[in-house]
Amino acid sequence: MCLWAVLAVAQPIQPPKMPVFPSDKYASFEDFLAKQSAIAIDSAQVIRFKVSFYIDNQGTVSYPTVFYHTNETDALRLFNTIQKSPKWSTEGMNEAYMILVEKSIQIKNGQWEAKTKLMSYKRTSLNLEALKNQSVVVFLPQSEGPKPVLVEEEPEPVYVSQQIETKLEFPGGVKEFYKLIAKNYRTPNVSALSGTVIVSFVIEKDGTLTELKVLRDLGYGTGEEAIRVLKMSPLWQPGRQSGQPVRCSYTIPIKIINK
């Protein structure tokens, strides 16, 4: 088996022009998802997803991620449908940017509603290989969800690492963090075991790791092993906001592939 841990960090920017979903065949992107995925057409059940994906300067949709609470089959169907999206209109958009689209989707009685957020990143600031590895379907318990920009917690707020002014750093760089995990992670001896373990943690102002949580576990001790390895981490260089060190949340996928 082989193991990868991947992480992408970049600073968002806000140029004036954003891509637009074409309305010649579908009324909206949600209308496209509803008709192509056929999720919950006749169901009174309320289904919720959080999705994200990127749009390049050609209007191509890529690197989708789908967070779900129940309905894994529907989440996989939604994940596959997003990748089939028609190209978005990028007229007037600066070709140096890629656009991150985040949507909170609710489906009730076959009706799709979505709250949407768009953020721009310079293509050169993104680790595309990391984004490719992060393109997965992720289970989150009902109490969990993608972290907002700022979460008020005691004793101090926790920031999302991608959106602080000065990004946090692992000693020697991100590649050394990957090496630490790959070198020390003990993959269970289970035939045909493959998938992605998702873990989150907080990097404190002094660089220590706290609040380590397994968001997705493959069983056989894979989640516990991820926590064990993360506890081996040396001190990080903390992120900074307004010049001051701050607490930052971090989420990484650890992909296990059976070869």
Side-chain angles (χ1 to χ4, degrees):
M1 291 189 179
C2 59
L3 177 73
W4 290 290
V6 292
L7 180 60
V9 178
Q11 295 296 320
I13 353 178
Q14 230 21 6
K17 190 67 177 178
M18 288 293 190
V20 177
F21 182 78
S23 57
D24 54 336
K25 187 174 181 181
Y26 302 98
S28 64
F29 184 66
E30 288 68 43
D31 183 45
F32 159 74
L33 293 178
K35 291 177 179 177
Q36 291 298 314
S37 68
I39 295 174
I41 290 178
D42 300 316
S43 174
Q45 178 187 13
V46 177
I47 302 174
R48 294 182 177 90
F49 300 102
K50 291 184 181 294
V51 305
S52 67
F53 52 89
Y54 284 80
I55 302 173
D56 64 19
N57 64 308
Q58 300 298 315
T60 302
V61 170
S62 57
Y63 312 122
T65 301
V66 176
F67 296 87
Y68 72 98
H69 303 301
T70 55
N71 308 88
E72 181 176 13
T73 299
D74 286 340
L76 289 168
R77 191 179 301 164
L78 183 59
F79 179 83
N80 292 329
T81 302
I82 292 172
Q83 297 181 86
K84 300 175 184 177
S85 169
K87 286 191 174 184
W88 293 46
S89 171
T90 56
E91 182 179 357
M93 190 177 122
N94 190 319
E95 63 181 18
Y97 295 113
M98 290 185 69
I99 309 301
L100 171 61
V101 181
E102 296 180 343
K103 287 181 175 285
S104 297
I105 297 174
Q106 175 176 292
I107 311 170
K108 183 176 181 181
N109 295 325
Q111 299 299 312
W112 290 59
E113 297 179 356
K115 295 181 179 179
T116 304
K117 181 178 181 180
L118 289 85
M119 292 175 287
S120 301
Y121 293 84
K122 280 191 174 179
R123 187 181 182 90
T124 54
S125 73
L126 295 171
N127 184 333
L128 300 185
E129 185 63 28
L131 291 178
K132 180 179 178 181
N133 283 279
Q134 289 179 340
S135 181
V136 292
V137 175
V138 182
F139 168 75
L140 292 180
Q142 289 287 352
S143 60
E144 296 287 346
K147 302 298 184 183
V149 174
L150 177 63
V151 180
E152 294 294 340
E153 294 184 355
E154 294 296 339
E156 295 184 37
V158 177
Y159 290 78
V160 173
S161 58
Q162 289 95 329
Q163 297 178 333
I164 55 176
E165 293 173 355
T166 304
K167 69 179 182 180
L168 43 84
E169 292 185 359
F170 183 81
V174 172
K175 288 185 179 180
E176 292 300 316
F177 183 48
Y178 301 159
K179 289 179 182 178
L180 172 73
I181 296 175
K183 179 180 177 181
N184 295 284
Y185 192 98
R186 297 195 294 255
T187 306
N189 186 21
V190 178
S191 177
L193 177 64
S194 63
T196 303
V197 176
I198 308 289
V199 292
S200 70
F201 50 90
V202 172
I203 299 171
E204 299 290 343
K205 297 187 331 186
D206 62 0
T208 58
L209 271 59
T210 64
E211 300 185 27
L212 286 80
K213 299 178 182 178
V214 179
L215 302 182
R216 185 180 187 186
D217 195 344
L218 301 179
Y220 305 102
T222 52
E224 291 88 342
E225 178 63 10
I227 297 297
R228 184 191 71 82
V229 173
L230 288 174
K231 288 181 178 179
M232 300 170 63
S233 172
L235 295 179
W236 287 58
Q237 182 69 33
R240 291 180 178 272
Q241 192 77 356
S242 300
Q244 299 299 315
V246 293
R247 305 174 73 216
C248 296
S249 66
Y250 222 64
T251 301
I252 62 168
I254 299 176
K255 185 166 288 188
I256 301 172
I257 299 178
N258 182 32
K259 283 194 171 182

